[in-house]
Amino acid sequence: MNDRVARAGPTPATIRELVSELEALLTEGAIAEARREARDIVAAVLDVPRFWPSMHPDVPVDATTQRDATAAALRRARGAPFAYAVGRAAFRHLTLMVDERVLIPRVETEELVELVLALALPAGGTAIDVGTGSGAIALSLAMEGRFDRIIATDISRDAIVVARGNANALARVLKAPLEFRVGSLLRPVKDVRARVICANLPYVAYGEASALPASIRDWEPSVALFSPDEGMAAIRALLGAAPAVLERGGHILLEVDPRRASLAAEMAATNRRYHDVAVRLDLAGRERFVVATCAE
């Protein structure tokens, strides 16, 4: 249990009382399932499992926990996504610090990591995570993969700051060196030959902004969401540049918009520098990933 749970002190609030206070704030902000979210906020602030507040309603909490949980509830009531409200998000085996400088990691991106790990690759080599954001993919590969090193790039200096903070916090569990470079797509790694390039690039067309949920459109960074050319510009550019960086027989793996997966696959298939182009489904059965092998 996190040391923020108080063992002594002048009449601190209990978990039950704190949950009730947060529930009232969330209800006022028209948050559905306010009591469940109140419990989840307390669990996140205390860094304990989600069920813990329900199992320990009479445990006292200190002023710091009350302050942090209340601030998170107020942010959530103003419409902030839950991960931004509490400042963290789960991703595979990791807990990552996140805020409005980076996208909130999604479960589909966990599946992208799984595809990389499932490749029949010899141990060693370099993996490159393009558009790293919070560092979710790069950190997972550094923790779970068998690469000699991981390089993560992002055009946003703010995102790199967040990713480096996560890497520092998780340094003890990383098995491979992890390097961060600022720049667009593969420009920061022209000196590298990589065994794997993977990316979850912006793929939403600007004209589709109004159809996005407000929690995404109004809070997550537009540079990580939107791309010109009907959402395909970044993917097209990366597919064009990747063979110059990949080893012969190396792989590129992309998370894409399911509506445009066939278009992304066609871009790779018509490029003679790739072979074995395939579209992979996510757990919901949607065409979510494009995988290709470098022929050069």
Side-chain angles (χ1 to χ4, degrees):
M1 184 169 54
N2 189 287
D3 60 9
R4 283 185 174 177
V5 178
R7 296 300 182 182
T11 60
T14 64
I15 292 290
R16 179 188 291 106
E17 292 167 350
L18 181 57
V19 167
S20 294
E21 291 173 4
L22 302 184
E23 181 185 7
L25 291 174
L26 295 168
T27 299
E28 186 176 346
I31 300 299
E33 299 186 75
R35 188 160 188 84
R36 177 186 60 78
E37 288 219 13
R39 290 194 297 265
D40 289 348
I41 287 173
V42 173
V45 168
L46 290 174
D47 195 19
V48 295
R50 292 179 65 185
F51 66 82
W52 191 92
S54 297
M55 300 297 292
H56 302 86
D58 297 318
V59 171
V61 292
D62 64 12
T64 300
T65 298
Q66 289 179 305
R67 181 198 66 205
D68 291 351
T70 299
L74 288 171
R75 287 193 293 270
R76 184 72 182 104
R78 290 195 296 269
F82 185 87
Y84 289 162
V86 299
R88 66 185 68 191
F91 186 84
R92 292 182 67 85
H93 306 294
L94 307 173
T95 298
L96 302 173
M97 297 177 290
V98 296
D99 58 32
E100 290 89 335
R101 293 173 290 180
V102 297
L103 284 183
I104 298 168
R106 267 69 167 184
V107 66
E108 292 85 0
T109 309
E110 296 187 24
E111 297 174 48
L112 177 62
V113 172
E114 194 65 34
L115 285 176
V116 175
L117 296 174
L119 288 172
L121 298 171
T126 297
I128 299 174
D129 170 27
V130 181
T132 194
S134 65
I137 294 173
L139 288 162
S140 293
L141 294 179
M143 178 182 177
E144 301 179 62
R146 300 184 301 159
F147 298 100
D148 287 332
R149 67 169 175 165
I150 315 293
I151 301 175
T153 75
D154 204 293
I155 196 171
S156 167
R157 291 184 181 275
D158 285 342
I160 291 292
V161 170
V162 175
R164 282 191 175 127
N166 281 319
N168 291 337
L170 295 165
R172 288 183 296 177
V173 302
L174 303 183
K175 300 175 183 176
L178 177 54
E179 180 183 348
F180 296 97
R181 300 186 185 184
V182 178
S184 177
L185 301 177
L186 294 172
R187 289 179 186 173
V189 291
K190 290 182 178 179
D191 59 327
V192 176
R193 297 291 282 179
R195 187 158 295 168
V196 169
I197 294 172
C198 53
N200 176 23
L201 296 175
Y203 54 64
V204 180
Y206 287 105
E208 297 167 340
S210 62
L212 292 175
S215 60
I216 296 175
R217 182 185 63 246
D218 298 342
W219 289 88
E220 301 200 58
S222 59
V223 69
L225 289 172
F226 301 107
S227 184
D229 189 18
E230 292 302 302
M232 296 302 296
I235 289 171
R236 187 189 305 275
L238 182 60
L239 284 170
V245 176
L246 283 169
E247 299 174 356
R248 181 180 180 86
H251 301 274
I252 183 168
L253 300 93
L254 303 176
E255 180 178 337
V256 299
D257 186 329
R259 298 168 299 175
R260 302 183 179 107
S262 59
L263 178 56
E266 183 181 356
M267 288 178 181
T270 56
N271 186 329
R272 295 181 180 179
R273 294 179 294 177
Y274 293 114
H275 64 86
D276 294 337
V277 178
V279 174
R280 305 293 187 192
L281 305 182
D282 62 20
L283 292 178
R286 296 167 296 192
E287 295 184 333
R288 176 66 69 173
F289 310 103
V290 173
V291 182
T293 303
C294 184
E296 295 187 343

